[in-house]
Amino acid sequence: MRIDEALATARPFFSFEFFPPKDDAGEVALFATIEALRPLRPAFVSVTYGAGGSARARTVGLAKRIRQDLGLGVLAHATCVGAERAQLRALFDDLSRAGIENVLALRGDPPKGEAADSASGGFQHAGELIAMLARNYHFCIGAACYPETHVEAADAQSDLQHLVEKVQAGAQFLITQLFFDNDAYFAFVARARQAGIRVPILPGVMPITDYRQIDRFIAMCGASIPPKLRVELDARRDEPGAVEDLGVAYATLQCTDLLRRGAPGVHFYTLNRSPATRAIVSALLAASAWRASFS
Ligand code: FAD
């Protein structure tokens, strides 16, 4: 199903992000994860696109298998950094042939220490990739956005202007970078609406499950941890189970607040694991958390 159509009918929606495993054992574990999350009836699941030569085969193969074997709606991520135009056309032809209807069009990140130059005939920014997709394919196209501003952006205003350009080029929905401060999301949505962006802006939430991993992630993506959450995490730094309990509890409260304040749903960064996301979405559903009172 196309995501633009799914979002028009499923409110609130839930969606789950997975990355292609590196080996057979990882694939078996991932399908167990997806099976565990499937009863929560996600509006779609997304499959990330990694760096390296086998990225195309791994993303296309996993997206195809999830769609065909499990019948779930799939959003395939695709990045353009370092790719020649012919390679990108081959990727999108493969996705079309596999029956994938939705693409998250991204720039991606160059290998450490390299600039995000375009390969010969390739694209330098996601907006150019989106324009090519809109001209040549029938995908429902999504794009990334950054409530706390992309790490390379000169400032929040120019970052927002580039987002406007991505939507004008053909992006039909946006998914945010992970964040822990809902006020940052709602302030960003208000600024985007003021700038003329009308498409759905799906909040991306990552339940914290690992103390050290979360610091690596936020260093990479520029998200901030609210001071009070930081105090509670630091108090549990040597208790992995307690960190995970706090992560699930915090994300449940965060999602409840997002839904009550009008977010269209929640996109979960699952890291290919089901327990945290399953607990959170089950609680949200059990309590109809998007309503003002429990029912
Ligand atoms: P762009 O929109 O091109 O923006 C990148 C930077 O360039 C920004 O600072 C922007 O302000 C600036 N910019 C944009 N357009 C212009 C222009 N015309 N002129 C000058 N400056 C411009 N990475 C992966 O490798 N694989 C994945 O599967 C993946 N999935 C993701 C999913 C989500 C929901 C998100 C939020 C991120 C994901 N990423 C993924 C990470 C993403 O690739 C990086 O954040 C990357 O640095 C930027 O990608 P973008 O598509 O937002 O780039």
Side-chain angles (χ1 to χ4, degrees):
M1 191 183 210
R2 288 175 61 94
I3 289 174
D4 48 357
E5 291 165 10
L7 292 184
T9 52
R11 291 282 175 119
F13 79 91
F14 297 106
S15 55
F16 306 135
E17 181 169 309
F18 306 113
F19 59 85
K22 287 202 169 61
D23 53 30
D24 290 350
E27 181 141 342
V28 170
L30 173 59
F31 273 80
T33 291
I34 301 175
E35 281 296 353
L37 294 175
R38 194 178 174 195
L40 301 170
R41 302 175 61 160
F44 63 91
V45 303
S46 84
V47 178
T48 66
Y49 193 86
S54 61
R56 180 170 124 213
R58 293 200 292 135
T59 296
V60 175
L62 180 60
K64 187 173 170 179
R65 198 175 153 203
I66 293 174
R67 197 189 93 80
Q68 291 181 352
D69 294 2
L70 303 179
L72 293 170
V74 177
L75 168 66
H77 298 205
T79 67
C80 59
V81 73
E84 292 178 10
R85 203 171 290 211
Q87 293 172 314
L88 292 170
R89 294 299 293 257
L91 166 65
F92 297 119
D93 290 347
D94 278 358
L95 289 170
S96 280
R97 271 193 295 273
I100 303 301
E101 295 173 293
N102 311 289
V103 168
L104 191 70
L106 301 149
R107 186 197 71 180
D109 289 312
K112 240 191 163 97
E114 290 180 28
D117 288 335
S118 48
S120 65
F123 303 117
Q124 209 167 350
H125 297 291
E128 298 162 56
L129 177 64
I130 293 166
M132 185 281 278
L133 282 170
R135 270 197 311 274
N136 297 291
Y137 294 88
H138 298 288
F139 296 117
C140 172
I141 305 168
C145 63
Y146 303 85
E148 298 177 84
T149 306
H150 185 259
V151 282
E152 293 165 29
D155 52 52
Q157 192 49 39
S158 62
D159 204 31
L160 183 61
Q161 185 48 40
H162 296 312
L163 187 62
V164 169
E165 290 157 14
K166 292 202 281 193
V167 174
Q168 286 171 343
Q172 291 156 286
F173 64 95
L174 303 170
I175 304 182
T176 76
Q177 184 56 276
L178 64 93
F179 61 90
F180 300 97
D181 175 0
N182 287 355
D183 287 346
Y185 167 79
F186 286 109
F188 171 73
V189 171
R191 289 176 49 239
R193 299 296 180 230
Q194 215 165 17
I197 293 174
R198 296 279 163 264
V199 299
I201 301 176
L202 318 185
V205 168
M206 177 182 284
I208 296 174
T209 53
D210 183 308
Y211 181 82
R212 280 170 190 83
Q213 186 184 50
I214 201 63
D215 280 335
R216 277 203 309 278
F217 283 147
I218 62 170
M220 268 185 318
C221 75
S224 61
I225 297 212
K228 288 181 187 166
L229 176 57
R230 168 54 73 191
V231 168
E232 296 302 332
L233 282 171
D234 288 349
R236 293 162 176 78
R237 66 169 72 217
D238 297 319
E239 298 172 79
V243 168
E244 194 156 353
D245 289 346
L246 172 64
V248 169
Y250 186 88
T252 307
L253 292 172
Q254 185 186 0
C255 294
T256 301
D257 182 60
L258 282 169
L259 296 174
R260 290 230 175 118
R261 291 165 70 183
V266 183
H267 180 75
F268 286 91
Y269 294 101
T270 71
L271 303 178
N272 286 11
R273 298 179 67 239
S274 65
T277 302
R278 188 176 171 197
I280 296 158
V281 177
S282 301
L284 295 173
L285 290 169
S288 297
W290 48 95
R291 300 216 180 100
S293 57
F294 277 21
S295 56

